[in-house]
Amino acid sequence: MFTVIGSLLRHNVEFLAGFTLTVLMLIFAALHFWTPYPGFSLYLLPPDMPPSGQYWFGTDSRGQDVLWVLSEALWNTLMFGLVVTILSRLIAISVGMVSGYLGGRADRILMSVNDTFIALPNIPILLLVYFVLRENMTWQMLAICAALLGWTYDSRLIRSVTISLRTREFTRHGVFSGMSTGRILVREHLPYVMPIIFFTAMNNLIWAISLEVTLSVLGFADSNRPSIGGMIYWANQHQAVISGIWWWIAFPILAVVVLFLGLFMLAMSVNEYVDPRSRLDRMGGAG
């Protein structure tokens, strides 16, 4: 995996640009560990101060330094996206590989469950969960709910790859040598599925962050926990645009756009690596 990443960094400009943007945003988000103003502390600073040498990103109407709040908000939003991505990848791998390898009745049952989840509308389901739990809703619980809705399309993709691997010679050797099903899937099939998992992880991370931002902007998340959507929510509550406090809403939007751009470029370049037809199209070699 590290060899592939190193090769992409040397030979793929899009991957290098996406990697650089993403790492820069991660470094900025990690700076919140040294913040002089914790994100939950309010009215510590003079409100509505424009960007200056003292307050680089200005202060908001809640008396917070936008720079440090944005740093913590970006970290929290990224953590939400990563938790959703990891959990949904684990479900997608388990369902897709087991379904593709076993086939038959197990395949039909698992794919029926898969297709049922595909048919469920994500946002209304999450809003329903929020209204039911309301006071007990935490970001971890919201992440688990999102992960349960974010694995379905990718499990079908993994299943199709596993079906093709099931009839390969090395799989037959594994069966005849007495390897268990779990060992065959992990040791023989998983290495072939990993590039697809990495590619789908980028797309799933973008989806999860978009979901968190949307729910937070609408006020269907913990508004006291700093997040990108939460900053936009509070800026809207204080009518920041009408009041001329543009920096309160501009910097969070700029941060999420740069993050999405970096992740999108990573996803596109990895897709080119995984799918040879994309490389041929780019080189003009496809008819």
Side-chain angles (χ1 to χ4, degrees):
M1 181 62 73
F2 291 109
T3 305
V4 172
I5 293 175
S7 176
L8 286 170
L9 285 172
R10 286 193 299 274
H11 304 295
N12 193 311
V13 177
E14 286 182 359
F15 187 87
L16 177 62
F19 185 83
T20 303
L21 289 176
T22 306
V23 169
L24 286 175
M25 298 309 292
L26 280 173
I27 293 173
F28 175 69
L31 289 177
H32 87 277
F33 288 112
W34 292 275
T35 177
Y37 313 112
F40 54 82
S41 299
L42 303 177
Y43 307 108
L44 292 177
L45 303 172
D48 303 335
M49 298 293 291
S52 63
Q54 186 175 6
Y55 305 112
W56 291 2
F57 288 6
T59 64
D60 58 30
S61 297
R62 307 173 80 204
Q64 294 178 301
D65 191 323
V66 174
L67 172 67
W68 294 110
V69 177
L70 179 60
S71 177
E72 186 171 351
L74 187 61
W75 180 267
N76 290 338
T77 298
L78 278 169
M79 286 303 104
F80 177 88
L82 285 174
V83 169
V84 173
T85 301
I86 291 171
L87 291 178
S88 62
R89 294 314 81 194
L90 290 175
I91 299 172
I93 293 169
S94 303
V95 174
M97 292 185 72
V98 170
S99 176
Y101 181 76
L102 294 181
R105 190 172 185 180
D107 182 36
R108 288 194 296 274
I109 293 173
L110 287 173
M111 284 302 100
S112 297
V113 174
N114 187 92
D115 294 343
T116 302
F117 274 89
I118 287 178
L120 295 176
N122 294 346
I123 296 288
I125 292 291
L126 290 173
L127 293 182
L128 178 63
V129 173
Y130 174 81
F131 283 123
V132 171
L133 298 177
R134 198 173 283 274
E135 299 298 329
N136 298 320
M137 174 62 83
T138 61
W139 76 268
Q140 293 94 339
M141 196 171 293
L142 187 63
I144 292 172
C145 294
L148 290 174
L149 298 170
W151 56 274
T152 49
Y153 291 100
D154 302 330
S155 71
R156 274 206 166 272
L157 187 60
I158 293 170
R159 170 181 171 269
S160 65
V161 175
T162 308
I163 288 175
S164 68
L165 295 173
R166 188 175 57 186
T167 56
R168 300 279 285 273
E169 198 62 32
F170 59 82
T171 303
R172 296 180 189 276
H173 281 296
V175 174
F176 292 144
S177 64
M179 291 176 68
S180 65
T181 298
R183 202 173 174 191
I184 290 174
L185 291 177
V186 173
R187 295 192 60 178
E188 303 295 338
H189 290 184
L190 189 59
Y192 291 91
V193 177
M194 285 305 292
I196 296 172
I197 295 172
F198 187 72
F199 165 64
T200 57
M202 292 295 105
N203 287 332
N204 193 259
L205 184 58
I206 294 172
W207 172 79
I209 292 175
S210 304
L211 191 65
E212 194 274 344
V213 171
T214 302
L215 292 174
S216 297
V217 168
L218 295 174
F220 296 114
D222 184 1
S223 56
N224 293 317
R225 178 177 178 268
S227 67
I228 296 293
M231 289 186 73
I232 299 173
Y233 169 80
W234 282 115
N236 185 50
Q237 290 296 309
H238 286 78
Q239 300 182 331
V241 175
I242 297 174
S243 304
I245 315 170
W246 56 268
W247 52 90
W248 193 359
I249 198 166
F251 287 117
I253 291 176
L254 179 64
V256 79
V257 168
V258 172
L259 179 62
F260 277 7
L261 185 62
L263 293 173
F264 177 73
M265 294 174 83
L266 281 179
M268 291 301 294
S269 51
V270 171
N271 181 45
E272 282 189 6
Y273 176 80
V274 173
D275 184 6
R277 290 173 300 180
S278 300
R279 275 177 284 175
L280 288 174
D281 288 341
R282 186 176 186 179
M283 296 167 63

